[in-house]
Amino acid sequence: MTRRSVLSGAEWESLYGYARAVRVGDTITVAGTTAPGVDAYEQAKGALTIIEKALRELGASLGDVVRTRMFVVDMAHADLVGRAHGELFADIKPASTMVEVGKLIRDDLLVEIEADAIIGRH
């Protein structure tokens, strides 16, 4: 099977040797994605926008997402992150997990999101 990757230009991709997203066959895995913002809602919306762009570059859409994982540094932000997620996935409803983590790669980041998609399965 052919393997295709998408890079977003994030500094860590070249430093740590990973891609934003990888497609093998009909399956796409999107790496943990962060975005700047003033609060967890804005950061989650930004991360989901980056995820959506990576999916499109690999021939998929948010409708192909079957699972998301949301990592938050404080569960007090759960409603903000969940609202951002719900705005994009209200009709899609992928399997989803949200967990609190001690810290993300930068102190100003409040949320990181991963996604898995299977093309053409909806």
Side-chain angles (χ1 to χ4, degrees):
M1 274 190 222
T2 304
R3 177 186 178 112
R4 292 176 46 206
S5 298
V6 168
L7 300 174
S8 66
E11 64 183 287
W12 300 293
E13 290 172 345
S14 61
L15 288 172
Y16 298 163
Y18 75 94
R20 170 66 40 224
V22 176
R23 177 177 176 173
V24 177
D26 291 338
T27 302
I28 297 173
T29 302
V30 183
T33 303
T34 60
V38 297
D39 63 14
Y41 172 81
E42 194 173 289
Q43 289 186 18
K45 288 290 277 195
L48 290 165
T49 298
I50 294 167
I51 288 168
E52 183 176 24
K53 181 178 183 240
L55 289 168
R56 276 196 318 265
E57 287 184 43
L58 291 171
S61 70
L62 289 177
D64 295 307
V65 173
V66 296
R67 180 172 176 82
T68 59
R69 292 169 203 84
M70 296 168 279
F71 305 95
V72 296
V73 296
D74 186 340
M75 271 301 180
H77 302 301
D79 286 343
L80 293 171
V81 175
R83 182 165 46 102
H85 186 275
E87 288 173 4
L88 285 155
F89 290 111
D91 295 328
I92 301 163
K93 294 190 178 19
S96 188
T97 301
M98 185 184 302
V99 296
E100 183 177 84
V101 296
K103 187 175 181 174
L104 295 174
I105 199 158
R106 281 192 346 229
D107 290 338
D108 62 322
L109 296 173
L110 305 172
V111 61
E112 183 168 334
I113 302 174
E114 298 177 346
D116 298 320
I118 301 174
I119 297 171
R121 303 294 181 199
H122 50 90

